Amino acid sequence: MQLRKDPITQSWVIQADAGDGLEKSEVCPLCPGHEALTPQTIYEYPYGSPNWQVRVIPHLRPIYQIEGDALRRAKGIYDTMRNLGAHEIVVEHPDHHLPLSRQPDEHVAQVIRAYVSRVADLKKDRRFRYVTVFRNQGEPAGQDFEHPHTQITATPFIPRRVGYELRSSQRYYQLKERCLICDILKQELVEQERTVEWDDLFVAFCPFASRIPYETWVLPANHLDAFEEDLASWERQLRFARFLKSVLGRLEAVAPAYHLVLHTAPNVNARFERSGNWQTLADDYHWHFEILPVIPSKSKSYGLKEVYYNSLTPEDAARELRRLVPAGSKP
Ligand SMILES: [Zn+2]
Ligand SMILES: [Zn+2]
Ligand SMILES: [Zn+2]
C-alpha cells in the first residue's frame, strides 16, 4: 500500500494493492476467548483481567504500518509517502450482539475513556499529524466485523475535509475573533429548527447544509478544540456517554447503518508541522462527532459526491429525531 497525493486537490489517497483487505472468517476474532487470533493488546479495561470489558488491539489488516518513517518522495510533480500510521480496533464490549447504544452508561463511558487514552497517546508520536476515531456500523457502512467495535487511525497527514474545516475556522476567527462552530451552535439553539437534543454540556443537531438525510453532529456546548482534553475526566466521559447513546438510539431508529467520525484538533507537535500553522487553533477550532447515516434508498449521489443531493431537509430530519425515543432507552 502506498499514499499518493493528488497534486490538484492536495488530498492523500490510499492506494491498496490487490489482495489487501479482510477476509470474513467463521469465528469472530473479537469475541472473548479468541484473543489468540488477534495481535497483542494495546489497552484493556480492567487492566490485566481475563474478563476484559473494553480492549484495544492493532487492526488485523491495518491500512497503516506503525514502523519507520513516512519517506516522502517526489517523482516529478507527483508526491508519494509510505502508508505510515497507526490503525487500531477498540472492541467495545465482550458481547458480540450488544451495540454501543444499548450498553450501560458506565460501560460506554469506559469506551469513551479508551478513545481518549488512545488519541492522547498517539498524539505523543511526532510522526503523526492527525489522530481520529471512527465507527462504520452495519454492512452498508462497510463494517469490518459484526462485533461492536470502533477504529482509531493516526496518519502523517491531515484528512482533506478536516483540513477544509481547519482553514475555514481559522479564516472566520481572523475576521471575527470568534469560533465559527460556537457561533453556529448559538444560532441553532436560538432557532431550534435543527436541534435534535441538548443539555447544559452537549448539543446534537442536523447541520444547515446537511449532505445526507439525518446527518447529525454531536459536540460540546462549551468551546474546546481537542476531544481528548475536553473529555479527560470520568465525569465528562460519563455525561458524554449518556448523551451519545441517546442520540445514537434516535438515529438507529431511522438509520441502523452509519459512519461516525471524530473531527478534532490536529497534532500541533507533529514533526513536519510548520510553526505558525495553528497559532489560533485553541480558539478557532471546535471538536465534534459527525454521524453520517447510510440510507441507500433515500440518498442519491450526484456527480460522484462532488455536489451533494439530500432528499430530506435537516429541519424535517431534526423534527423526526426529536420525537423519536432512543431505541436503547427504557420506557
Ligand atoms: Zn464477536
Ligand atoms: Zn467553539
Ligand atoms: Zn467536521
Side-chain angles (χ1 to χ4, degrees), residues 179 182 223 286:
C179 162
C182 279
H223 180 83
H286 196 128

Side-chain angles (χ1 to χ4, degrees), residues 3 14 42 58-59 62-68 70 81-89 115 117-134 151-159 262 264-267 270:
L3 295 172
I14 303 155
I42 298 171
H59 200 288
I63 292 175
Y64 303 105
Q65 304 288 344
I66 193 95
E67 303 86 18
M81 198 164 36
R82 266 194 58 234
N83 59 333
L84 166 75
H87 191 182
E88 303 178 354
I89 295 174
Y115 297 168
S117 165
R118 291 310 302 143
V119 171
D121 194 45
L122 286 165
K123 271 192 170 181
K124 287 183 199 144
D125 193 324
R126 295 186 57 228
R127 296 172 305 165
F128 303 144
R129 290 175 77 179
Y130 192 71
V131 183
T132 194
V133 174
F134 63 96
Q151 305 187 47
I152 295 179
T153 55
T155 49
F157 62 90
I158 296 172
L262 170 67
T264 184
N267 187 6

